[in-house]
Amino acid sequence: QGYDAICRAMMPYIGEEKWGVTISLTTKYKKPVPINEEIRIIGKITSDNGQVYEGEGYILLNDDKIAATAKGTYLCMGLDKIAEMDPESKEDWFVEKKESDPKTINIP
């Protein structure tokens, strides 16, 4: 999930019609992630040059302890170059935006 969280964190920078293609991804597992318990998955961009983005992702348990971390480097590419899908179609893939989506979050 670290990969997905980091790629979604790129969206404010690159828009929804582009995606990050993984150049490298390192994941470290620190604690077991329980089933049937709420967790938080957070992704953030740590650097970008407009074409290559670096980011970090975290899985946080209910007690705010970090269960897993991920660091990745991604190449920004248009969806038409990396997938055969219609970005306007809600059957393939889409971002569901909600009024309740937080504008900012605190990372412990």
Side-chain angles (χ1 to χ4, degrees):
Q1 289 297 327
Y3 162 79
D4 193 42
I6 298 168
C7 281
R8 288 180 188 260
M10 292 172 59
M11 287 181 169
Y13 302 95
I14 64 174
E16 295 177 16
E17 58 282 333
K18 292 186 179 180
W19 232 1
V21 177
T22 307
I23 295 172
S24 66
L25 180 65
T26 302
T27 304
K28 293 184 179 179
Y29 302 98
K30 299 176 176 279
K31 296 186 175 293
V33 177
I35 298 172
N36 298 326
E37 285 188 25
E38 192 170 304
I39 59 172
R40 288 184 291 154
I41 300 173
I42 298 170
K44 67 178 183 175
I45 301 304
T46 56
S47 70
D48 77 85
N49 69 9
Q51 189 67 22
V52 175
Y53 289 75
E54 293 181 347
E56 297 176 357
Y58 308 92
I59 296 177
L60 299 176
L61 302 175
N62 281 334
D63 60 4
D64 286 335
K65 291 190 176 161
I66 296 174
T69 63
K71 291 186 179 188
T73 304
Y74 305 88
L75 177 64
C76 177
M77 293 183 72
L79 285 175
D80 60 330
K81 292 190 165 97
I82 58 175
E84 292 182 13
M85 61 183 268
D86 177 4
E88 301 300 318
S89 169
K90 293 200 179 220
E91 291 180 20
D92 289 326
W93 180 88
F94 67 98
V95 175
E96 182 178 348
K97 296 179 183 176
K98 298 179 181 177
E99 289 285 326
S100 61
D101 288 347
K103 301 295 182 227
T104 62
I105 57 171
N106 294 321
I107 299 174

